[in-house]
Amino acid sequence: MTGKSHAASVTKAGSYEVSQSGVWDKDILCGKCDGKLGGYEQYAHRIAQAIRQTGSDTSWKTKVIADTDNIKILRFCAGILYKYSLTTKANGQITLGRYQDVLRSFIFDQNSDVPPEIDAFVVRPLKHDDDGDVFAYRAPSPDRKFGVNLYRMMMGGLIFFVQLDQRPISGIPQEMLIKNRADGLPFVTGDAASFEEFTIPRGMTQTNERLSAYLDRIS
């Protein structure tokens, strides 16, 4: 699961295709709105690069990237969730309920405060020490492992766990939540084998000979 970054998708004919940019849904946002979200995504991309370059030495360490705009990172997370709530089921649509309106106001109103229900924490999974690779991207999916409504997504080599719930997260130190950290963006490194973002595709390659052969061919 090393080599060049790519995503593999299954066609109706059962073959596998390379995708460098994922699925593009041109019908969910106007150009102006998409451009605003694109700015947040570019900023998150730069922060993810910095984490991969300086914060990927060993697993199970808590680190901080200094001088970050964590509200912009939260707007990035909110924007990804919002876009996936607008797309089709075939493209991975998620259901946000009343939070769809909450996220829309937070994303597009620059003067709005962060809603009390929204926060996030970040994990950098490592396949080995000094791992600087991006081994997977994952669209948002619901998660309730920490006693609240969360969505998890993997982008830029980071897993973002995004809280959409007024209840406090259990089992996570409060200093790992990014909203109120003034000194930078906190994140924790972890063994990739502890996260489904790694174990699910690894299991697919072990049980699906055609997919495994395809990934070997393009790596």
Side-chain angles (χ1 to χ4, degrees):
M1 300 180 70
T2 59
K4 64 183 179 181
S5 298
H6 61 267
S9 59
V10 183
T11 68
K12 290 182 179 180
S15 60
Y16 301 99
E17 292 183 345
V18 177
S19 170
Q20 290 290 345
S21 58
V23 177
W24 171 253
D25 189 338
K26 62 181 178 61
D27 298 322
I28 59 176
L29 291 172
C30 69
K32 181 179 179 179
C33 292
D34 192 59
K36 183 178 289 291
L37 298 191
Y40 301 143
E41 291 165 9
Q42 290 174 3
Y43 181 76
H45 174 70
R46 293 198 301 271
I47 298 302
Q49 282 184 317
I51 289 176
R52 294 198 307 274
Q53 291 168 0
T54 64
S56 296
D57 49 356
T58 58
S59 295
W60 309 120
K61 285 189 175 182
T62 299
K63 298 172 174 286
V64 177
I65 292 290
D67 302 321
T68 58
D69 186 339
N70 290 355
I71 304 306
K72 190 174 288 186
I73 294 293
L74 283 175
R75 284 195 162 101
F76 154 73
C77 293
I80 297 295
L81 295 182
Y82 181 67
K83 287 202 288 189
Y84 270 90
S85 76
L86 298 177
T87 193
T88 63
K89 290 183 178 180
N91 287 341
Q93 182 185 48
I94 59 175
T95 301
L96 297 176
R98 73 175 187 87
Y99 289 112
Q100 186 181 59
D101 290 336
V102 172
L103 294 183
R104 180 170 58 240
S105 297
F106 174 50
I107 295 163
F108 295 116
D109 182 358
Q110 293 296 309
N111 297 318
S112 65
D113 294 329
V114 182
E117 306 97 322
I118 298 177
D119 212 330
F121 63 95
V122 180
V123 174
R124 167 57 178 155
L126 305 176
K127 302 188 301 297
H128 51 76
D129 291 352
D130 299 316
D131 181 6
D133 290 336
V134 178
F135 62 80
Y137 285 82
R138 189 185 189 187
S141 61
D143 193 311
R144 291 185 58 86
K145 287 185 175 64
F146 298 94
V148 298
N149 294 313
L150 292 172
Y151 282 87
R152 63 192 294 163
M153 57 190 185
M154 186 169 185
M155 298 171 187
L158 308 178
I159 306 175
F160 295 86
F161 291 85
V162 187
Q163 176 183 359
L164 294 182
D165 203 312
Q166 291 184 343
R167 296 170 294 177
I169 294 179
S170 61
I172 296 295
Q174 290 300 297
E175 60 266 24
M176 291 306 301
L177 299 176
I178 74 175
K179 179 165 58 177
N180 294 321
R181 284 292 295 255
D183 57 336
L185 182 76
F187 66 98
V188 61
T189 60
D191 182 356
S194 299
F195 299 93
E196 61 189 50
E197 284 76 9
F198 179 80
T199 58
I200 289 176
R202 181 179 62 180
M204 290 174 63
T205 62
Q206 291 172 347
T207 59
N208 190 319
E209 294 182 358
R210 292 181 61 229
L211 176 57
S212 181
Y214 169 79
L215 293 178
D216 288 341
R217 189 169 68 251
I218 64 176
S219 296

